[in-house]
Structure formats: structure tokens, C-alpha cells
Amino acid sequence: MTNMNPCQSLLRVEESVKQIVQELERYSMEQITHKPSEEEWSLGQVYMHLIRSALYMQLRQIEVCRDMTVDGGSQQEKSEQGELVFAAGSIPPIRIKVPASPEYTPPQPASKEEIVKGMQAVLQRMEELASAVASIPEQNKTMHPGFGYLSAKEWYMLVDMHFRHHMLQRERLAEFLQETESAM
């Protein structure tokens, strides 16, 4: 079992959200939605990806694990990649390229308020699930497409790891926006 502390994950996500909200103050909506190229995401799309992944995938899977019947648990395990990620406590700092698709490519945010409200919704849902995570049986697992079968605690920890993983992308986009502003 992975050595995890849900409170630590929640605190780190709270810190990430605080940083993101501060980042929003530095940029106009035009900057937030400006893409370095047609194949890359804007800063706003990264924020929307984090919100949607947390709310509709990671935190949703905790609920699925919680709601499994006694015989609904899975004896299946994490993939080799999943074992490595959870042993390290982070997703490797590599760029993951996924082909653009309506199912995966996040939309541009309509406003800064949409981003702030989405981030607040992630934190609220994490707070609501924090105490329940520890009581969900470890054998109650659901499948992650890259990491194999994860328990509720692992899905909870993944929210934090996913936010930290996208920090490098946020930094690259911030540099791009500074360079673009300097060139004007």
C-alpha cells in the first residue's frame, strides 16, 4: 500500500489553488486564452483541464470506490507505470502529448471567475471526501487508463500529483506570455 496522508494532499492542492488564483491576477483574459501554437493549450485550458480532471475523473472515482459493494472490489493492481508514479509520489516532469479531441481537449474558460469557482469546487469536494477516503476499503479500486487499478486514497493523492505535474506547463506558458508581452 502506498504511504499517503489525505490531509497532506489536500494542503498541497490548497496551496496550488492559491498560486493559480494569484496567477490569474497577473493576466488579462486575452493572455489567459492565448495559445503558443494551435497544438498547445493556453493557460486557461490548463486550468480547465485541472478542474475537470479533478471533479469528473479523480474525485468521481473516489465516489465509485466508496459505493462499491463488498464483493465489488478489485484484486487487480496498478500498472508498472502506476507503481513508479506512486512510489515517487509524483508524475514524472515530462510533456505528455495527447491528440486533440473533443473528449480530451479542454475548452477555453469564459472568465477568470469560472476558473476561480472551478478551483473552489475542487477544494470543496476534496474537503468533503477527505474523511471518507480513509474508511474506503483498499480493495475497492477503479481503473486509471495509464496507472492501472487505484484505490480511493490513490485517486485522492492523484489530484495533488496532477496539479503539481502541470506546474511545469504553467511555468512554460508564463514565460511565453512574458516573451509575447515584451515583443509588443
Side-chain angles (χ1 to χ4, degrees):
M1 182 185 111
T2 308
N3 182 16
M4 290 182 285
N5 180 341
C7 290
Q8 188 178 37
S9 292
L10 178 58
L11 289 173
R12 287 198 298 231
V13 172
E14 285 175 348
E15 185 57 35
S16 292
V17 167
K18 183 177 166 184
Q19 289 174 355
I20 289 168
V21 170
Q22 288 173 347
E23 284 173 11
L24 287 173
E25 294 172 11
R26 291 195 297 247
Y27 302 115
S28 67
M29 272 308 292
E30 183 179 335
Q31 290 172 308
I32 290 169
T33 58
H34 189 64
K35 295 167 52 167
S37 71
E38 194 53 43
E39 297 82 41
E40 295 181 74
W41 291 351
S42 69
L43 197 53
Q45 286 176 293
V46 173
Y47 298 148
M48 296 301 288
H49 170 69
L50 290 170
I51 293 165
R52 288 170 174 232
S53 295
L55 292 176
Y56 305 118
M57 181 184 174
Q58 296 140 357
L59 298 173
R60 176 68 189 116
Q61 292 307 307
I62 294 167
E63 296 167 343
V64 173
C65 290
R66 179 196 62 205
D67 297 341
M68 287 181 167
T69 59
V70 176
D71 61 348
S74 172
Q75 298 305 311
Q76 299 205 27
E77 300 298 326
K78 288 187 282 299
S79 65
E80 185 177 331
Q81 182 183 13
E83 289 291 347
L84 292 171
V85 163
F86 281 90
S90 65
I91 300 169
I94 57 172
R95 292 179 87 165
I96 300 170
K97 186 86 170 132
V98 178
S101 70
E103 303 82 40
Y104 190 76
T105 304
Q108 293 283 12
S111 65
K112 291 181 184 185
E113 292 77 25
E114 179 183 16
I115 298 166
V116 171
K117 285 181 181 179
M119 292 292 170
Q120 290 170 340
V122 170
L123 284 177
Q124 179 181 350
R125 196 69 195 121
M126 287 189 76
E127 289 167 357
E128 293 167 357
L129 290 169
S131 59
V133 166
S135 65
I136 300 171
E138 284 294 316
Q139 71 269 17
N140 291 12
K141 299 176 184 179
T142 61
M143 177 74 162
H144 181 281
F147 302 149
Y149 285 83
L150 304 180
S151 68
K153 287 180 185 177
E154 291 164 332
W155 281 108
Y156 196 88
M157 184 178 182
L158 189 56
V159 176
D160 166 44
M161 290 193 292
H162 191 230
F163 268 74
R164 287 185 285 128
H165 172 72
H166 280 282
M167 177 61 84
L168 290 176
Q169 185 178 17
R170 288 172 32 218
E171 289 171 359
R172 279 194 308 274
L173 288 166
E175 286 176 26
F176 162 74
L177 291 173
Q178 283 180 330
E179 291 167 7
T180 304
E181 193 174 310
S182 298
M184 296 179 146

